[in-house]
Amino acid sequence: DTGVSQDPRHKITKRGQNVTFRCDPISEHNRLYWYRQTLGQGPEFLTYFQNEAQLEKSRLLSDRFSAERPKGSFSTLEIQRTEQGDSAMYLCASSALGSGAEQYFGPGTRLTVT
Amino acid sequence: GDSVTQMEGPVTLSEEAFLTINCTYTATGYPSLFWYVQYPGEGLQLLLKATKADDKGSNKGFEATYRKETTSFHLEKGSVQVSDSAVYFCALTPNTGGFKTIFGAGTRLFVKA
């Protein structure tokens, strides 16, 4: 396995457009997480899945954001009607079950909203 | 709510100097504690972890001890190298039913030859 992959790596979009990002976790990992990271800050938790179930969502995840993991494998994060404040690095991570399990991070998708 | 506070950077050291990056946390119960590192142009990767009080995590010459009494998890290395230049993030995962990880703001380390 080559680790967590994310696509695209970079996305530039105009304000008001919709964007969708994809994350492919490590194949045997049941948990998948989305984070957002802005310049000079640590990653902020957005949401996580256990298999196909979305078990926790941050208040940061407004109604314009939606995430899915339809078959418990890859996941998508969609942002509707993008705003300039959505510009950030969007990180995906996956982990095995168990408390204290290490999260493996993907390279991230850098979103720029113009 | 749960939170992580780490010392602000940047930290600039000469090669072979001793490194300490302070990290304190606020959490209910006994969270798992982590240090992640982000090298220039690369993704986040786990450096070390500790899952219960008095545990010491260690990797690549770095160490951190889970101190419940002071709610701290300070990162140390006895002799830094230029290749250690990176951003270091302290983080916790609560053990109260959720599995999100809460990160500190990160500390950038520059090591000069």
Side-chain angles (χ1 to χ4, degrees):
Chain A
D1 198 336
T2 56
V4 179
S5 61
Q6 293 186 245
D7 184 69
R9 296 290 304 276
H10 303 273
K11 178 71 177 178
I12 299 174
T13 191
K14 293 185 186 302
R15 190 176 53 193
Q17 298 295 304
N18 299 344
V19 294
T20 300
F21 310 141
R22 177 181 169 120
C23 171
D24 287 89
I26 293 172
S27 57
E28 61 267 28
H29 283 177
N30 299 92
R31 293 202 179 112
L32 186 148
Y33 311 79
W34 286 99
Y35 294 86
R36 181 172 69 188
Q37 186 178 20
T38 53
L39 200 61
Q41 299 297 315
E44 296 173 293
F45 170 80
L46 293 178
T47 188
Y48 96 93
F49 293 83
Q50 184 162 307
N51 301 314
E52 66 275 10
Q54 188 174 18
L55 297 185
E56 190 170 353
K57 291 169 61 174
S58 165
R59 286 169 294 177
L60 292 175
L61 216 64
S62 75
D63 291 345
R64 296 184 298 106
F65 289 70
S66 62
E68 293 182 343
R69 193 182 183 198
K71 296 182 180 179
S73 56
F74 74 92
S75 176
T76 58
L77 178 69
E78 180 183 18
I79 309 175
Q80 296 183 326
R81 305 181 303 283
T82 52
E83 303 172 355
Q84 288 189 319
D86 297 331
S87 296
M89 179 75 86
Y90 289 85
L91 300 171
C92 176
S94 69
S95 75
L97 292 176
S99 60
E102 174 182 353
Q103 293 183 27
Y104 292 80
F105 282 81
T109 295
R110 181 168 296 283
L111 173 66
T112 302
V113 181
T114 63
Chain B
D2 299 338
S3 65
V4 174
T5 302
Q6 59 183 108
M7 62 187 287
E8 289 189 20
V11 174
T12 303
L13 296 174
S14 297
E15 208 165 23
E16 299 183 4
F18 184 87
L19 169 71
T20 300
I21 300 178
N22 290 337
C23 170
T24 57
Y25 67 89
T26 301
T28 304
Y30 293 84
S32 296
L33 302 176
F34 304 86
W35 278 99
Y36 282 84
V37 60
Q38 191 168 32
Y39 297 104
E42 297 185 16
L44 274 167
Q45 54 187 277
L46 181 68
L47 180 60
L48 53 84
K49 72 175 186 180
T51 57
K52 60 182 188 296
D54 300 324
D55 266 3
K56 177 185 285 188
S58 61
N59 186 26
K60 300 182 181 179
F62 290 89
E63 293 183 340
T65 301
Y66 190 142
R67 301 286 188 201
K68 180 66 176 173
E69 64 275 15
T70 54
T71 61
S72 65
F73 193 54
H74 304 320
L75 182 69
E76 296 182 336
K77 186 175 185 182
S79 176
V80 293
Q81 305 300 311
V82 172
S83 57
D84 293 327
S85 298
V87 182
Y88 293 82
F89 294 92
C90 185
L92 69 83
T93 300
N95 285 338
T96 53
F99 294 96
K100 67 183 182 185
T101 297
I102 298 165
F103 287 82
T107 303
R108 183 175 294 278
L109 170 66
F110 292 105
V111 181
K112 304 180 296 184

